[in-house]
Amino acid sequence: MPTRPTALITGASRGIGRAIALALAPTHDLVLTARTADALAAVARDATTLGSGVRTIPCDLADPAAISTALADISCDVLVNNAGVATLKPFLSMTAEQWHGMVDVNISALFHVTRAVLPGMVERQHGHVINIGSTAGRNTFVGGTCYAGTKHFVMGFSESLMLEVRDSGVKVSVVMPGSVETELFPAGTDTSWMCTPDDIGGAVRQLVDTPPHTLQFIVEVRPLSPKRRRDGTRRG
Ligand SMILES: NC(=O)c1ccc[n+]([C@@H]2O[C@H](COP(=O)([O-])OP(=O)(O)OC[C@H]3O[C@@H](n4cnc5c(N)ncnc54)[C@H](OP(=O)(O)O)[C@@H]3O)[C@@H](O)[C@H]2O)c1
């Protein structure tokens, strides 16, 4: 039987990461990481029913030493850098802890996780790194000094890395979601108009399915309209 390709997905315990895991499960074995072990185990059970072999690795991506230990023996064909945190508040209200919480996960973990698996991809002349950015990676808004800043970083990082490794047969892409109904938003937020996590899982699925000789670099996925619920009715 041919071996299945392997996808490593960060932030896979819920939301967009969970949806990406389930979108790839029919064709890929999965390595799923996040901090919450029981939530990861639940996603693993769902992915297994779709045919995937799954390994879960609970890990705090804000801890570089923990990442390097956790991923030391991981080899993968697809890496989805999805984990992210968003504390949206004006700069003068933000604590240093909140600032570093976003920078550590949204920026520094990109280095540590990618550094752990990219050499193997380059050596095998095959692989796909997919970074989950945001429309906040090319927009600005009040309350976004750090979060939007980190997502602008994702864009610069992704395009530079893409130029560095494409001649090695390794693809780099970035998915920029608009608003998506996940726990990134506070409880009580009207999410009726937002994309669903499965919409972003579908975009990653399409990127993974592009022919070997083509590279789709940016995919932006937005809700059709903030004025319309997903069922098409008008809000407000
Ligand atoms: N929702 C949106 O509207 C939206 C729009 C654009 C872009 N995005 C991006 O999409 C990605 C996923 O967000 P989401 O909406 O699915 O948010 P979410 O539901 O809050 O999920 C975030 C994921 O990241 C993991 N994570 C957070 N901190 C971590 C840490 N220190 N170490 C390891 N894992 C950590 C969480 O797992 P644990 O808590 O179990 O560790 C969880 O699996 C993020 O990069 C976000 O910026 C989201």
Side-chain angles (χ1 to χ4, degrees):
M1 219 163 96
T3 31
R4 290 158 56 98
T6 299
L8 166 62
I9 303 166
T10 70
S13 59
R14 62 173 185 266
I16 291 171
R18 174 183 183 276
I20 294 168
L22 299 184
L24 298 185
T27 52
H28 287 64
D29 287 338
L30 300 175
V31 180
L32 306 179
T33 185
R35 288 167 303 181
T36 317
D38 55 351
L40 274 181
V43 177
R45 279 194 294 279
D46 292 343
T48 303
T49 64
L50 295 170
S52 182
V54 186
R55 178 172 167 192
T56 58
I57 305 182
C59 177
D60 183 352
L61 293 186
D63 179 349
I67 298 173
S68 114
T69 306
L71 302 183
D73 67 339
I74 298 299
S75 166
C76 61
D77 303 280
V78 176
L79 162 63
V80 186
N81 282 309
N82 163 74
V85 264
T87 304
L88 305 182
K89 52 178 8 185
F91 176 74
L92 289 177
S93 308
M94 191 173 303
T95 65
E97 190 181 19
Q98 290 165 334
W99 179 277
H100 288 292
M102 281 183 275
V103 169
D104 288 351
V105 177
N106 300 5
I107 293 182
S108 300
L110 279 182
F111 171 80
H112 297 292
V113 175
T114 307
R115 193 68 187 76
V117 299
L118 185 62
M121 291 181 177
V122 169
E123 195 179 314
R124 293 188 296 278
Q125 303 270 295
H126 164 78
H128 200 158
V129 178
I130 301 173
N131 298 322
I132 307 301
S134 170
T135 49
R138 61 183 185 81
N139 297 332
T140 53
F141 52 92
V142 171
T145 51
C146 188
Y147 181 71
T150 65
K151 292 301 182 180
H152 277 71
F153 176 93
V154 174
M155 298 305 296
F157 170 75
S158 300
E159 190 159 359
S160 299
L161 188 67
M162 180 270 286
L163 295 173
E164 288 182 21
V165 299
R166 63 181 177 170
D167 290 330
S168 313
V170 177
K171 300 181 184 185
V172 179
S173 304
V174 60
V175 176
M176 302 168 70
S179 297
V180 185
E181 180 179 34
T182 73
E183 290 176 30
L184 207 71
F185 291 95
T189 303
D190 177 5
T191 58
S192 63
W193 58 279
M194 296 183 182
C195 290
T196 67
D198 287 342
D199 296 327
I200 313 307
V204 170
R205 174 82 251 174
Q206 285 177 17
L207 283 172
V208 167
D209 287 342
T210 49
H213 67 284
T214 64
L215 170 61
Q216 198 166 337
F217 173 60
I218 297 182
V219 177
E220 186 169 304
V221 185
R222 290 173 175 260
L224 175 61
S225 163
K227 294 182 179 161
R228 287 178 179 273
R229 299 185 186 91
R230 284 189 295 274
D231 66 10
T233 56
R234 305 284 296 185
R235 294 170 69 212

